[in-house]
Amino acid sequence: MSDCIFCKIAAGEIPSTKVYEDAEFCAFKDLNPQAPVHILLIPKKHISSLLELQEADATLMGKLLFRGQKIAKEQGLGESGVRFVFNCKDDAGQTVHHIHCHILGGARLSDSFGVR
Ligand code: AMP
Ligand code: ZN
């Protein structure tokens, strides 16, 4: 998608600090980290959010979750713990409309999941 910031990051058209890349995925440091480790893992394919996922994307997203596990362990979070988050649409606070998995850890995280 031509005006999508994460498609541009995936294509290398705008800079990011990538921690992983292959033909289907890339992972990069969040510009505004909310934890000592805060990485965004995306499929290079543009999908707006988990709510737009098609059944044909199920294998891709299974691979994404497995890659997320690998990245979390590489970042040293395998024993201390990690939070994987997919924000979807407005009430969840999604600001970039290209599906992304937040990988958060490196400190005790807040337990605030509820209404603001
Ligand atoms: P969300 O609120 O779930 O849509 O998360 C979007 C995330 O993307 C936020 O945590 C932003 O800090 C992050 N972000 C936005 N632009 C960039 C960028 N150019 N490079 C890295 N992270 C970004
Ligand atoms: Zn995109």
Side-chain angles (χ1 to χ4, degrees):
M1 214 192 193
S2 58
D3 62 347
C4 170
I5 190 168
F6 285 0
C7 282
K8 287 181 178 164
I9 286 176
E13 291 167 8
I14 64 169
S16 67
T17 305
K18 284 186 178 157
V19 300
Y20 180 80
E21 183 163 24
D22 65 21
E24 291 180 302
F25 305 104
C26 72
F28 50 94
K29 292 189 178 177
D30 196 292
L31 209 55
N32 182 24
Q34 304 298 309
V37 176
H38 189 172
I39 289 166
L40 301 172
L41 171 60
I42 65 169
K44 291 185 173 179
K45 177 181 178 183
H46 183 90
I47 300 166
S48 302
S49 86
L50 206 55
L51 290 169
E52 280 73 36
L53 204 64
Q54 303 292 308
E55 192 167 358
D57 298 319
T59 300
L60 181 74
M61 292 305 291
K63 287 199 234 174
L64 180 141
L65 290 178
F66 189 66
R67 181 52 53 193
Q69 183 227 78
K70 294 276 190 208
I71 291 169
K73 287 180 175 172
E74 282 163 16
Q75 295 289 322
L77 307 178
E79 299 304 321
S80 53
V82 56
R83 185 172 288 163
F84 299 99
V85 176
F86 290 89
N87 292 322
C88 302
K89 299 195 172 172
D90 291 351
D91 276 358
Q94 185 180 10
T95 57
V96 179
H97 297 277
H98 179 130
I99 192 168
H100 50 280
C101 179
H102 293 261
I103 301 173
L104 295 147
R108 197 81 180 175
L109 301 175
S110 135
D111 60 0
S112 58
F113 276 116
V115 176
R116 271 187 203 161

